Amino acid sequence: MPFSNKVGLIFSEDYQSYNFGKNHPLRPLRLALAYSLMEKLGLLENPRLEIISPRICTKEELAMVHSLEYIDAVKKLSDNPEDKTVYASRYGLGSGDNPIFKGMYEPSALICGGSLVAAEKVWNDDSFNILFNFAGGLHHALKDRASGFCIFNDIAVAIAQLKKLQKGIRIAYLDIDCHHGDGVQWLFYDDPDVLTISYHESGQFLFPGTGEINEEGEGKGKGFSINFPLLPGTNNKMYLNLFRKTIPRILETYQPDILITQLGVDTYFADPLTQMGLSIQAYRDIAQTIKTCAKDYCQNKWLALGGGGYLMTAVPRAWSLFLAKMLDVDVDNKLPESWIEEVKQNVPYENTPYMLWDRADKSEVDLLANPEVAKKMIEYINSLIKICEEKFLPPLTKR
Ligand SMILES: [Zn+2]
């Protein structure tokens, strides 16, 4: 075998069909621009990388997580959005967040199938240690309803499949999207074999409103849901300090058989839907910590999925940096001219970036002007580190 430690990138042009319409913030363009940037940076030519096509997952596979009633409702509305025999709102569909669109079933099932292919590959094929499906990560979808731009929960379906492939498998799920990873948390809330960890802007300020510290799991799963609700404006330094002092400890203590990450990048300071303060530099550091943890504490198996992120010029850069880290490639801090042109044409209304990552930490500048606020935020981060030590870690050792 010429290369072990291969990285698989799951991608299809058909992902573009997961499209709620031109006024919806989740624009498929971000996937196209991400793939294009990865290509123009030369990452797709890397000998360790293999591009893998997703498949449409079957109704039976969806039913490992979703109710048949819900799956049928999505299919009917997909075939005929005017179908009045289906009470769409009962299933979370047709609202502002999750508008019904013709043909929505197939791309939803394709994204889900992409995460399934990725899960199967990373588990069954030892030549791969990382699989990345950046169209996936639809973490809000619930058993019988769509939520927060998510129709089917590809993460939960991938977890269910892994549990089927390996009895007793222990899975750590880390969600860094700015929104709480509620769907995955609730679907495995009583399961000690699925540890869910979510880093997010506090539900006091942001959809879906959950993800408090006291949401710790129930029954046998008590202690196996972990939440880090963060304050708006949390900057690189604060975030990374907390991340490095908690995530490696949690994973080292739990010793999972595999790590799954949801890599939403809507924690970016200029994201239009959120109020966090990270710059793209932070994602390089987060990627490094995750990669080391996957290798040291998670049997060197890492299933990476995408997630939120609503600036077309930011998401592709963040995910390209994740992919570069997965491949151990050092990239220069500049953007290919041809990609800059592509961005100018496709998103003329966003500021055109010229650097791959921005160090400029706008939140840090804001906080320097407000030392009292900064002090409170640092104290809050320190309190979370303490809570992790005293409350989150002890139940994990009992496993
Ligand atoms: Zn999000």
Side-chain angles (χ1 to χ4, degrees):
M1 210 176 335
F3 296 102
S4 55
N5 289 338
K6 282 195 296 188
V7 176
L9 187 72
I10 313 278
F11 188 73
S12 164
E13 294 290 339
D14 294 337
Y15 280 160
Q16 292 296 307
S17 308
Y18 191 81
N19 189 349
F20 291 104
K22 67 175 166 45
N23 294 322
H24 194 281
L26 188 80
R27 300 180 61 199
L29 176 64
R30 63 202 199 112
L31 304 179
L33 287 174
Y35 189 81
S36 169
L37 180 57
M38 291 166 181
E39 189 171 38
K40 292 183 164 96
L41 288 169
L43 298 174
L44 304 187
E45 289 163 17
N46 189 293
R48 276 178 56 203
L49 185 92
E50 196 172 300
I51 296 164
I52 298 165
S53 294
R55 61 176 169 83
I56 291 191
C57 83
T58 65
K59 190 171 162 181
E60 289 69 33
E61 287 166 337
L62 291 171
M64 293 190 291
V65 166
H66 296 289
S67 68
L68 285 173
E69 188 190 324
Y70 174 60
I71 299 167
D72 287 340
V74 174
K75 183 76 174 96
K76 276 188 185 157
L77 290 167
S78 172
D79 292 345
N80 174 18
E82 305 300 319
D83 193 333
K84 295 285 179 263
T85 65
V86 184
Y87 291 100
S89 61
R90 180 186 295 169
Y91 305 107
L93 292 161
S95 67
D97 273 4
N98 317 300
I100 298 160
F101 61 96
K102 190 157 175 57
M104 66 184 180
Y105 183 91
E106 287 74 17
S108 305
L110 186 69
I111 290 174
C112 223
S115 297
L116 267 183
V117 168
E120 288 159 358
K121 196 95 186 156
V122 76
W123 188 253
N124 288 333
D125 186 339
D126 279 338
S127 60
F128 285 87
N129 67 322
I130 304 172
L131 265 288
F132 189 15
N133 181 31
F134 59 82
L138 302 176
H139 61 168
H140 295 305
L142 297 161
K143 184 179 179 199
D144 49 16
R145 61 185 294 130
S147 173
F149 317 160
C150 308
I151 297 174
F152 295 136
N153 196 317
D154 62 294
I155 308 161
V157 171
I159 291 173
Q161 181 76 341
L162 286 166
K163 286 172 75 71
K164 229 166 106 177
L165 287 174
Q166 181 74 54
K167 208 174 174 314
I169 190 173
R170 289 198 299 158
I171 298 164
Y173 169 68
L174 169 63
D175 185 320
I176 63 164
D177 193 279
C178 200
H179 301 87
H180 176 225
D182 58 342
V184 183
Q185 172 179 293
W186 301 131
L187 284 162
F188 300 97
Y189 206 48
D190 59 359
D191 188 345
D193 291 334
V194 180
L195 171 67
T196 63
I197 312 155
S198 181
Y199 257 64
H200 49 266
E201 181 176 334
S202 166
Q204 290 177 40
F205 310 99
L206 191 69
F207 177 89
T210 50
E212 290 306 308
I213 288 162
N214 62 10
E215 290 166 28
E216 54 186 353
E218 67 186 7
K220 282 187 177 157
K222 196 168 154 62
F224 297 91
S225 291
I226 293 178
N227 286 293
F228 292 93
L230 304 171
L231 296 172
T234 299
N235 67 12
N236 288 8
K237 213 182 272 176
M238 295 171 182
Y239 190 103
L240 291 168
N241 179 33
L242 179 65
F243 199 79
R244 288 171 177 148
K245 285 184 180 147
T246 55
I247 296 305
R249 292 286 312 279
I250 290 169
L251 295 174
E252 183 185 21
T253 309
Y254 187 64
Q255 292 283 331
D257 298 303
I258 182 169
L259 175 67
I260 303 180
T261 57
Q262 196 273 19
L263 304 176
V265 291
D266 39 6
T267 41
Y268 185 57
F269 75 88
D271 192 278
L273 299 193
T274 64
Q275 300 85 32
M276 288 284 279
L278 301 196
S279 72
I280 291 185
Q281 163 84 29
Y283 301 115
R284 298 177 77 211
D285 298 331
I286 291 168
Q288 178 64 59
T289 301
I290 292 177
K291 185 161 190 277
T292 308
C293 283
K295 188 165 170 287
D296 291 348
Y297 309 129
C298 310
Q299 311 299 324
N300 206 14
K301 291 198 180 294
W302 177 15
L303 168 56
L305 306 167
Y310 304 97
L311 263 189
M312 302 300 118
T313 49
V315 177
R317 292 148 72 206
W319 286 345
S320 294
L321 286 169
F322 270 105
L323 183 62
K325 190 60 74 180
M326 290 171 189
L327 291 163
D328 301 305
V329 168
D330 277 325
V331 281
D332 293 334
N333 191 11
K334 57 185 181 209
L335 286 165
E337 281 297 329
S338 55
W339 192 77
I340 293 173
E341 280 312 308
E342 200 179 338
V343 161
K344 278 183 181 166
Q345 274 181 19
N346 284 289
V347 272
Y349 48 87
E350 283 184 24
N351 290 331
T352 307
Y354 293 92
M355 310 278 260
L356 182 49
W357 63 90
D358 47 358
R359 293 169 208 277
D361 196 329
K362 189 183 159 290
S363 312
E364 206 153 303
V365 176
D366 290 348
L367 286 172
L368 283 172
N370 296 284
E372 281 307 308
V373 176
K375 192 169 163 247
K376 286 214 172 81
M377 289 178 77
I378 290 167
E379 278 167 14
Y380 179 67
I381 293 288
N382 287 334
S383 76
L384 287 177
I385 293 169
K386 197 157 175 259
I387 287 167
C388 181
E389 294 276 323
E390 292 173 1
K391 181 178 152 80
F392 296 161
L393 289 175
L396 306 181
T397 58
K398 292 192 198 116
R399 213 30 210 71

